[in-house]
Amino acid sequence: MRLITVSGPPSCGKTAVLSKACRALMDAGTACAVVKFDCLQSRDGEIYREAGVPVSVVFSGGLCPDHFYASNLEEAFGWAMGTGAGCFIIETAGLCNRCSPHLRGALGLCVIDNLMGIDAPAKIGPMLRLADLVVVTKGDLVSQAEREVYRHRIRQMNSRAVIRHVNGLTGQGCAELARIMEQAPDLSSVTDVKLRFSMPAAVCSYCLSETRIGVRYQKGNVKKARFGGGDVHADH
C-alpha cells in the first residue's frame, strides 16, 4: 500500500486539495483511504465522504497530538489495509511546527498557503524542511511576483522538494498531484519504520494535568528561559 503523510498549518487547504486528488486517483482505478489526525474537532470527514473516500477522523483531545499520532500509526495503517486501499493518506492537523509526521520510506507532503506571510516557510519547521513535495495553495489571491518570492522562501528552507501550486477550490493542479502521489513508495507495514524527525521531549507536571502556575508546581522536563537584553535564550 502506498503511504503518504500530509502536514501543514490549519486552514491552509489540505483537505480541499487531498479530497480532489484522491477522487482523481480513484477515477484512475486506485482505491484510497484517509486517516485525519486532529486535536478537538473537525468536519473534514464529511468532505472526504462526499468525495467517496473512506475516512477515519481521530482526535487527540487532551493528549499531545504529535505523540498521539505516532502512537496510533500501526492501527491506522491496519485500518487502511482493511479497506482494500492501494493508497493511504495520513492527514495531520499541523502538529506543533516543531515536529514532522513524515516517515522514512514514505512520501512526505507539506501544504502551505500564500496568505500565511512571507516568513511562514521559516516558521513551519521540519514538516516543510523534510518534505518531499510542497503544495502551495491560494496562489490566485496574490500577485505573480508574490508567488515567486514565496516560492524562493520555500526553496531556501527545502532545496530538494518538488514544489507545486494547486487550487483547492477549483481543483486546478490536483490531477498532477494525484499522479505524483501514485508514485509513493509501497509499504507492507509501518512497524519499525522511523520518523524523519524526533518528537519534542515533554514529560512535566503540566503533562500530568497540573494547572497551577509557579515554580513550585513544575517538575520533570522543565525548560526555563532567560529574559532581557535582546533575544530570549532557553535554558534547562
Side-chain angles (χ1 to χ4, degrees), residues 43-101:
R43 298 180 61 185
D44 291 346
E46 300 174 13
I47 298 174
Y48 284 114
R49 281 187 282 270
E50 288 175 1
V53 184
V55 60
S56 182
V57 182
V58 292
F59 302 102
S60 62
L63 299 178
C64 168
D66 309 322
H67 292 81
F68 177 73
Y69 157 80
S71 300
N72 286 275
L73 275 175
E74 281 185 307
E75 292 81 359
F77 193 88
W79 171 82
M81 288 281 283
T83 69
C87 187
F88 175 35
I89 296 94
I90 297 175
E91 181 190 342
T92 73
L95 303 181
C96 69
N97 288 357
R98 154 60 176 76
C99 302
S100 169

Side-chain angles (χ1 to χ4, degrees), residues 68-209:
F68 177 73
Y69 157 80
S71 300
N72 286 275
L73 275 175
E74 281 185 307
E75 292 81 359
F77 193 88
W79 171 82
M81 288 281 283
T83 69
C87 187
F88 175 35
I89 296 94
I90 297 175
E91 181 190 342
T92 73
L95 303 181
C96 69
N97 288 357
R98 154 60 176 76
C99 302
S100 169
H102 305 314
L103 303 169
R104 298 180 186 179
L107 180 66
L109 191 162
C110 179
V111 182
I112 183 173
D113 75 71
N114 277 112
L115 301 182
M116 293 177 59
I118 201 67
D119 295 323
K123 297 178 180 179
I124 291 176
M127 71 171 74
L128 185 147
R129 287 194 290 106
L130 300 179
D132 304 304
L133 172 64
V134 178
V135 169
V136 187
T137 61
K138 305 180 184 179
D140 56 318
L141 301 178
V142 298
S143 67
Q144 178 63 30
E146 289 174 299
R147 289 196 294 271
E148 290 300 324
V149 171
Y150 204 61
R151 184 186 181 94
H152 175 68
R153 292 296 181 92
I154 294 172
R155 184 58 71 203
Q156 286 180 315
M157 299 307 300
N158 190 327
S159 61
R160 64 177 183 81
V162 174
I163 301 175
R164 290 291 183 268
H165 292 268
V166 177
N167 190 315
L169 294 179
T170 65
Q172 182 178 4
C174 287
E176 181 186 2
L177 174 60
R179 288 192 291 271
I180 297 174
M181 292 168 62
E182 199 169 21
Q183 302 305 311
D186 197 357
L187 299 179
S188 59
S189 171
V190 292
T191 302
D192 294 327
V193 172
K194 293 184 178 180
L195 293 163
R196 297 188 189 184
F197 199 78
S198 62
M199 297 290 179
V203 182
C204 69
S205 51
Y206 296 111
C207 294
L208 302 175
S209 302

Side-chain angles (χ1 to χ4, degrees), residues 9-22:
S11 302
C12 65
K14 296 187 295 295
T15 301
V17 166
L18 291 171
S19 61
K20 291 179 175 60
C22 286

